[in-house]
Amino acid sequence: MDTYNFWQDFFDTYQSLSDWLKVLWLIVPPVFVLGLVALTLRFRLAGRQMNGALDGELVYSVRRDAQNRIHIISHMPLGDSNPPLLLLGPAGDDKAEHGREQHIG
């Protein structure tokens, strides 16, 4: 076993492959590395955008109680000057006051 050389065996095996397998051996590793770099960069950019998207104010909280009812809690007054993004019923219904819970059936 002292005369065995891994690299000589590796290159001998590579030389005996067909041409299309040699091309795959040359193309796959760089494509893998480029794909890994692209995924890493996309993940880092998405993480930065998500952290930047959380700047603002809390408007609603959603909570589920022990009876499996969902409560939507408004953290700001729902006046006409600042309409809610969440419509709970037809227009003209009772509007929630600041800090009151609204129940969705």
Side-chain angles (χ1 to χ4, degrees):
M1 275 308 225
D2 293 333
T3 61
Y4 178 74
N5 187 347
F6 171 78
W7 292 109
Q8 184 178 2
D9 192 31
F10 175 78
F11 288 123
D12 187 42
T13 303
Y14 179 77
Q15 191 175 19
S16 66
L17 291 175
S18 64
D19 289 340
W20 65 275
L21 283 177
K22 289 178 187 177
V23 170
L24 283 177
W25 269 89
L26 293 175
I27 291 176
V28 169
V31 169
F32 175 76
V33 169
L34 288 175
L36 189 63
V37 167
L39 284 174
T40 304
L41 289 176
R42 182 179 290 180
F43 176 74
R44 292 185 75 197
L45 289 174
R48 286 184 184 162
Q49 288 175 353
M50 181 173 277
N51 288 340
L54 293 179
D55 294 340
E57 61 182 330
L58 181 63
V59 179
Y60 293 105
S61 293
V62 179
R63 210 180 122 238
R64 181 180 297 173
D65 64 7
Q67 289 81 23
N68 206 21
R69 291 181 301 184
I70 295 176
H71 302 272
I72 298 174
I73 303 166
S74 175
H75 296 283
M76 57 186 300
L78 301 176
D80 291 332
S81 63
N82 192 6
L85 298 175
L86 180 65
L87 302 175
L88 297 176
D93 283 354
D94 294 334
K95 292 186 177 185
E97 296 177 20
H98 179 69
R100 293 200 46 179
E101 294 183 3
Q102 300 173 354
H103 299 280
I104 296 178

